Amino acid sequence: MSHFAVTAIFFLLAVSCGRSISFESWRTLPGRMKKVSVGIKGIYGLSTSNNVYRLDGNKWTLVTGGGNTKEVASGRREVWLLKSDGSIRVGDGERNNWSTIPGNKKDLEVSNTGDVWGVNGGGGLYRYRERGDWAHIDGGGDQMTAG
């Protein structure tokens, strides 16, 4: 798929969602991260040594309690961590105050509206509900993304 096609698809999705968009130039971030999650809560990165960092201005700050992490997802008010053993933590991403969420997943994403989505080891799709459980969603996959 060409760059133009990807841009056109993004533009159509943004327009259909009623979002205004602006194209700015790319900016090089300091350091080396294997994954970066950008959400209303902030910009968080996962290092090659599986530690979580928060971007503060132009420097990465180590997030206490974010070690041994497989995925980091910056949401609306919280930061979600998928630990290497599949367990899930949620916290403010600034202090070491993580809560354990029931369940075990192999992929985890959070939207800017705060919806949390996960994929379990069998490829089942789930959405986390505020009451503390996961609702199964029709379909399946290995990985997901939320906007």
Side-chain angles (χ1 to χ4, degrees), residues 47-130:
S47 72
T48 55
S49 58
N50 299 323
N51 290 309
V52 175
Y53 289 82
R54 179 183 61 250
L55 187 63
D56 294 324
N58 284 324
K59 71 179 184 85
W60 292 102
T61 301
L62 181 65
V63 174
T64 304
N68 199 27
T69 298
K70 180 180 176 184
E71 296 283 342
V72 59
S74 176
R76 184 179 190 101
R77 292 181 300 267
E78 307 98 3
V79 177
W80 290 71
L81 306 179
L82 178 61
K83 304 303 263 181
S84 296
D85 65 1
S87 63
I88 303 161
R89 308 284 191 279
V90 62
D92 68 3
E94 296 167 20
R95 297 179 301 274
N96 188 18
N97 63 344
W98 300 100
S99 298
T100 300
I101 300 297
N104 193 284
K105 301 290 180 260
K106 72 174 185 178
D107 192 33
L108 183 77
E109 285 294 332
V110 182
S111 72
N112 275 335
T113 60
D115 293 325
V116 182
W117 303 88
V119 179
N120 72 1
L125 304 178
Y126 291 84
R127 181 175 177 269
Y128 185 72
R129 298 188 281 200
E130 290 290 325

Side-chain angles (χ1 to χ4, degrees), residues 36-44 73-76 78 110-112:
V36 174
S37 178
V38 179
I40 292 172
K41 183 63 181 163
I43 300 174
Y44 289 80
S74 176
R76 184 179 190 101
E78 307 98 3
V110 182
S111 72
N112 275 335

